[in-house]
Amino acid sequence: MFQQFLDTVKGIIMSSGFANCPWQNLLMIAIACVLLYLAIVKGFEPLLLLPIAFGMLLANIPVANLSSHAEGSLIYYLYQGVKMGIYPPLIFLGIGCMTDFAPLIANPKSFLLGAAAQGGIFFTFIGATLLGFTPKQAGAIGIIGGADGPTAIFVTSKLAPELLGAIAIAAYSYMALVPIIQPPIMKALTTQKERMVVMDTLRPVSKTEKVIFPIMVTIIVSFLVPDAAPLVGMLMLGNLMRESGVVDRLVKTAQNELMNIITIFLGVSVGATATGDRFLSPETLKIIALGLIAFCVGTACGVLLGKLMYLVTGGKINPLIGSAGVSAVPMAARVSQKVGQQYNPANFLLMHAMGPNVAGVIGSAVAAGVLINICR
């Protein structure tokens, strides 16, 4: 009887995760704990970094079969929303409901700054191809430069799902590090005189303009780049719901309950793709490095076009707002404001920077559509 008891205990131990845990899984669990620390203690993009990190933790528990690729598991079914491209457009719906496009409408030149900041995407796409990545993988890596997590996930799920874990973590990490990465680039590329420029107050924008804008953007972008329609269309639907003023209940739902539910599903299922056997490879280090290059080049492109606009307008444009052309809303705009006030406390660039910032959201979605079209 006692021997039978010992055999039972031994069987339980031998079938447990403790007896079947490769070092790769242990390392990934440690990485997940570090990301949880950054999300909880340091506050780095906690709304998505926390569920992503916990999904990574679950996926690397041996024997439990909780990765996104373990058919039949809960996370496997949640992951279908990523695989089929459902979650990112729904996130864009919520973003549209929360975003005011008035600064962009009041200053259409902001579109140029938002477009310029996408230069990092295509620069890195070419670089990744030269480093040996396939065109599809290079497209997925390049989109990190847009500093837009949902867009990065959307493109990667369609072009290179095997890289989803590494790209999602890189994208959200760089979004969280915007206040650290951008200021040195902004200061290196501008003079003190340029950083002190005070811009004129933006003109008021009528409700009619705010209602027409999302409709026109949807039509124009969808005709030009049909592959961008799911993201741009849902972004503009959310904004139209907000600006129309007739569907407040839907706006509140999209901003809160829907956004929160999708964020949980998206984060956990994406994190669960980062298993040890897939994540721990030289490719991952290359992706993280290329993602940083993409983000830095995108910031630089926006600032450099801002400098050109400063010259063309006779000093009426502060080049710092060009850095907000990346799609990290509203963090990138706040960084422009903060750096500007360091050199001129009376300067208020936030609303001016929001124009390129929301243009960057549209720009990254358009860039996503272009990459999907040329890489598939």
Side-chain angles (χ1 to χ4, degrees):
M1 180 69 73
F2 183 68
Q3 184 61 44
Q4 185 178 6
F5 172 74
L6 290 178
D7 291 342
T8 301
V9 172
K10 182 180 178 181
I12 292 173
I13 293 175
M14 294 306 295
S15 63
S16 71
F18 292 104
N20 297 275
C21 189
W23 68 267
Q24 293 95 332
N25 289 53
L26 288 175
L27 181 55
M28 290 303 299
I29 289 172
I31 293 173
C33 290
V34 170
L35 294 176
L36 287 169
Y37 170 80
L38 293 175
I40 297 169
V41 179
K42 298 297 183 180
F44 286 179
E45 289 291 327
L47 291 179
L48 261 164
L49 195 55
L50 191 151
I52 285 175
F54 204 81
M56 185 189 300
L57 176 70
L58 291 174
N60 286 281
I61 295 175
V63 187
N65 292 322
L66 287 174
S67 75
S68 298
H69 312 289
E71 189 168 352
S73 69
L74 169 64
I75 295 177
Y76 171 82
Y77 291 111
L78 292 180
Y79 179 68
Q80 301 311 301
V82 176
K83 187 177 180 180
M84 294 186 289
I86 297 172
Y87 296 156
L90 291 179
I91 292 284
F92 264 58
L93 175 67
I95 292 172
C97 288
M98 294 186 287
T99 303
D100 182 6
F101 285 117
L104 177 59
I105 300 170
N107 184 15
K109 292 189 292 291
S110 298
F111 264 117
L112 299 176
L113 295 171
Q118 309 313 311
I121 294 175
F122 296 100
F123 176 86
T124 306
F125 168 67
I126 296 170
T129 304
L130 295 175
L131 287 175
F133 287 96
T134 67
K136 289 185 176 182
Q137 292 174 331
I141 294 168
I143 202 67
I144 298 173
D148 190 318
T151 302
I153 291 170
F154 183 78
V155 173
T156 306
S157 66
K158 291 185 174 298
L159 297 182
E162 70 278 7
L163 303 180
L164 188 56
I167 288 175
I169 290 169
Y172 282 107
S173 296
Y174 294 137
M175 284 174 64
L177 294 173
V178 163
I180 297 172
I181 296 172
Q182 284 198 318
I185 300 171
M186 297 161 67
K187 293 174 184 178
L189 296 176
T190 56
T191 65
Q192 183 168 337
K193 180 182 178 181
E194 291 169 343
R195 294 192 287 268
M196 294 179 66
V197 170
V198 176
M199 296 178 63
D200 294 334
T201 304
L202 293 171
R203 70 172 179 83
V205 177
S206 68
K207 180 176 179 178
T208 301
E209 290 177 286
K210 291 182 178 180
V211 170
I212 292 175
F213 181 79
I215 299 172
M216 293 304 300
V217 169
T218 301
I219 294 171
I220 294 170
V221 172
S222 298
F223 269 76
L224 288 174
V225 191
D227 288 302
L231 293 176
V232 173
M234 295 304 282
L235 177 71
M236 293 303 154
L237 171 60
N239 188 251
L240 181 61
M241 288 162 54
R242 167 197 168 101
E243 301 300 348
S244 68
V246 295
V247 287
D248 287 343
R249 287 171 53 189
L250 300 185
V251 171
K252 290 176 181 177
T253 299
Q255 285 179 335
N256 298 294
E257 291 83 359
L258 179 62
M259 189 81 155
N260 292 336
I261 291 169
I262 298 302
T263 297
I264 294 171
F265 289 175
L266 178 68
V268 173
S269 56
V270 165
T273 65
T275 53
D277 58 331
R278 291 170 176 261
F279 192 86
L280 296 176
S281 68
E283 272 191 348
T284 299
L285 295 177
K286 290 181 183 178
I287 290 168
I288 292 172
L290 286 167
L292 178 59
I293 292 170
F295 183 65
C296 291
V297 172
T299 299
C301 287
V303 174
L304 290 173
L305 182 61
K307 284 176 71 72
L308 178 61
M309 293 174 71
Y310 167 85
L311 294 173
V312 171
T313 60
K316 294 182 179 180
I317 300 291
N318 190 316
L320 293 177
I321 68 171
S323 66
V326 299
S327 182
V329 179
M331 194 179 302
R334 289 173 180 164
V335 171
S336 298
Q337 162 78 5
K338 183 178 179 180
V339 175
Q341 284 209 319
Q342 287 177 359
Y343 294 89
N344 183 354
N347 208 352
F348 295 94
L349 294 175
L350 183 61
M351 293 310 295
H352 296 286
M354 281 301 297
N357 211 185
V358 295
V361 179
I362 300 171
S364 66
V366 171
V370 171
L371 289 172
I372 291 171
N373 182 266
I374 64 178
C375 294
R376 64 184 170 193

